Amino acid sequence: MIIKDKNIPRKNKVTEDRLDFYSQKKVPLMSVIEISNSGMCNRKCSFCPRSDPNYQDVNEFISDELHHKIFSELSNLKYKGMVIYSGYVEPLLHKKIYENIIEARNFLPNAQIELITNGDVLNKDRLIKLFNAGLSTLLISVYDGPKEEKQFYNLCQDAGLRKDQYVIRNRYMPEELDFGLNISNRSGTLTNAEYSIPALKKSLKTKCNYPAYNFFIDYNGDVQMCSHDWAKKFIAGNVKKQKIIDIWLNQKFQFARKKLLSADRNFSPCNKCDVSGELIGKKHANEWNKINEKLVTKNS
């Protein structure tokens, strides 16, 4: 498969370099925690489910209490993986994003903290403020054209950022070049989008590593198995009510892992999804497969 999104190899390296284990159980921890910090975005890109006329913004943001609980628990786990403020939203719309990053960095001094933005509200002062708060890397998705792309490069250089502190992603390519990203049908939620991709009628027989390394938290505390599940069909738990580690090791997550790591996508929403799920997290998948093999051997 041709990798159009040049950030994927970088993300895979960070993910695999930070593979760690839950000491009490000797099982791999997640290496990517994605936080969708609100129900809001200021754009409706053609290849995004938000371009569906029926998709609604929700004017709600992650609470201070929930954010504190998340990072307190991650600190207890000595988490040193990647934290990404992104998800289904524009994270810079949250007025407390700087405070949130400060808290995340204080709890997780060794973590890779990232934020993905469309850059619409970004300026030099805000850029510097993000890194002063403790951000590791900023990813800017450019949707308008090469002129804007150049402006963002100039902005990052003017702010004195190192090259490893920012990634500018070209998202204005034409449809025939998939907009410059590895396009997918977002688990079947692009049927009525401006750039329509149908849901699969028959599930793929290919593996997917997402539940082996990825932990997605919505602004209301819901934990999803995968960031492609825009319809929010598979909720593994809620961090308001449960501990992160308990959700990561629960039966729902383990069900998804066993299924997807054995190339069985025949359950919702994965039965409608066309995403290539093996581009990131192979080391994590291998570790989970070792555990599953031991369980089979023990029970046989």
Side-chain angles (χ1 to χ4, degrees):
M1 180 182 183
I2 297 175
I3 299 178
K4 301 181 179 69
D5 186 346
K6 302 306 179 183
N7 181 57
I8 289 177
R10 183 196 74 90
K11 184 178 178 181
N12 182 57
K13 185 177 188 308
V14 174
T15 300
E16 298 205 334
D17 286 350
R18 291 170 183 260
L19 172 62
D20 200 5
F21 295 85
Y22 181 47
S23 58
Q24 295 180 26
K25 298 280 188 179
K26 303 297 182 184
V27 297
L29 285 170
M30 68 292 283
S31 280
V32 176
I33 293 177
E34 190 166 358
I35 298 176
S36 192
N37 67 358
S38 78
M40 301 288 290
C41 189
N42 61 312
R43 283 186 177 246
K44 295 183 183 293
C45 300
S46 63
F47 50 84
C48 174
R50 285 184 176 275
S51 66
D52 183 334
N54 296 317
Y55 196 98
Q56 299 294 320
D57 275 340
V58 179
N59 190 14
E60 295 179 14
F61 296 83
I62 191 169
S63 69
D64 294 344
E65 294 78 15
L66 177 56
H67 192 272
H68 182 87
K69 182 178 186 292
I70 290 168
F71 285 92
S72 176
E73 290 185 18
L74 291 176
S75 177
N76 290 336
L77 291 171
K78 296 180 173 56
Y79 183 75
K80 60 182 181 182
M82 180 183 285
V83 174
I84 310 175
Y85 291 94
S86 176
Y88 309 135
V89 303
E90 169 50 53
L92 291 183
L93 295 180
H94 189 15
K95 294 180 180 179
K96 293 192 174 183
I97 185 61
Y98 308 102
E99 296 172 33
N100 286 166
I101 293 173
I102 289 171
E103 180 172 61
R105 176 57 70 201
N106 286 339
F107 271 119
L108 305 178
N110 299 314
Q112 173 80 8
I113 302 176
E114 305 195 346
L115 185 146
I116 301 176
T117 177
N118 58 36
D120 287 351
V121 301
L122 200 61
N123 57 34
K124 183 178 177 181
D125 288 343
R126 288 171 179 163
L127 184 59
I128 293 173
K129 192 174 180 179
L130 285 169
F131 284 93
N132 285 343
L135 193 69
S136 304
T137 303
L138 179 69
L139 294 90
I140 305 173
S141 299
V142 185
Y143 297 108
D144 296 324
K147 177 183 176 182
E148 288 74 18
E149 182 179 6
K150 185 177 180 180
Q151 289 173 347
F152 282 122
Y153 273 111
N154 290 338
L155 177 64
C156 292
Q157 291 166 8
D158 190 37
L161 298 186
R162 303 186 311 270
K163 288 186 177 180
D164 64 307
Q165 290 181 301
Y166 64 94
V167 178
I168 298 179
R169 308 193 298 177
N170 181 326
R171 295 289 183 263
Y172 55 80
M173 300 300 287
E175 290 182 9
E176 56 267 24
L177 294 178
D178 290 339
F179 309 100
L181 54 81
N182 284 72
I183 198 77
S184 78
N185 69 5
R186 309 297 179 102
S187 295
T189 56
L190 286 181
T191 302
N192 297 317
E194 184 179 337
Y195 180 70
S196 177
I197 304 177
L200 296 182
K201 295 182 179 179
K202 186 177 180 181
S203 61
L204 297 178
K205 294 182 180 180
T206 56
K207 296 179 182 179
C208 181
N209 299 335
Y210 270 90
Y213 73 91
N214 189 78
F215 195 85
F216 183 100
I217 306 174
D218 211 353
Y219 66 92
N220 63 357
D222 282 345
V223 174
Q224 296 174 218
M225 172 193 63
C226 174
S227 55
H228 289 273
D229 182 14
W230 277 72
K232 306 179 181 181
K233 297 287 188 181
F234 194 103
I235 306 298
N238 188 289
V239 293
K240 283 184 178 180
K241 307 170 186 176
Q242 301 159 278
K243 289 185 177 180
I244 288 173
I245 191 63
D246 290 341
I247 298 172
W248 180 243
L249 300 177
N250 72 14
Q251 290 184 350
K252 289 196 75 171
F253 240 115
Q254 188 61 356
F255 166 84
R257 283 190 199 101
K258 287 182 178 180
K259 287 277 192 179
L260 293 179
L261 295 182
S262 61
D264 181 357
R265 299 192 181 199
N266 195 27
F267 65 100
S268 180
C270 302
N271 57 338
K272 296 181 179 180
C273 181
D274 68 352
V275 74
S276 177
E278 293 187 271
L279 300 179
I280 298 175
K282 287 185 179 179
K283 282 178 68 174
H284 294 70
N286 289 338
E287 292 297 332
W288 280 108
N289 282 331
K290 290 177 186 177
I291 291 172
N292 291 333
E293 288 171 5
K294 287 180 181 178
L295 290 175
V296 170
T297 303
K298 181 178 179 181
N299 295 327
S300 61

